Amino acid sequence: MVLNRTLLMVLLFGSVATADEPLYFDTTVLPILTKAGCNSGACHGATAGRGGFRLSLWGSDSSADYSAIVNDWEGRRVDRVNPSNSL
């Protein structure tokens, strides 16, 4: 199942969250990636990852997953200034 890129961007940056309702990667984004199978052994959770992108199996290392999404590839996966430019 392909995760909608716009939905992921909204979740990562909290653009729909109010000041008193922050969104957290561990409790908001990781469950979506898990439900979609993105961090399963058949996808990016595989030992070698997939398509040059690797996540921990079933979100077992949320810090590494956050870094892989936001910081790897010199920050080109996620463009915080202009999310539509994100990979």
Side-chain angles (χ1 to χ4, degrees), residues 29-83:
V29 177
L30 276 182
I32 291 170
L33 295 174
T34 301
K35 184 175 181 179
C38 300
N39 55 14
S40 72
C43 200
H44 299 293
T47 303
R50 189 172 189 188
F53 181 48
R54 185 182 185 291
L55 295 171
S56 66
L57 188 60
W58 303 117
S60 60
D61 187 350
S62 61
S63 295
D65 291 344
Y66 180 86
S67 182
I69 293 170
V70 177
N71 300 321
D72 285 3
W73 277 22
E74 298 174 353
R76 293 184 304 162
R77 283 196 175 102
V78 175
D79 185 336
R80 293 178 185 213
V81 176
N82 189 357

Side-chain angles (χ1 to χ4, degrees), residues 2 7 23 25 39 45 60:
V2 177
L7 174 62
L23 297 175
F25 184 79
N39 55 14
S60 60

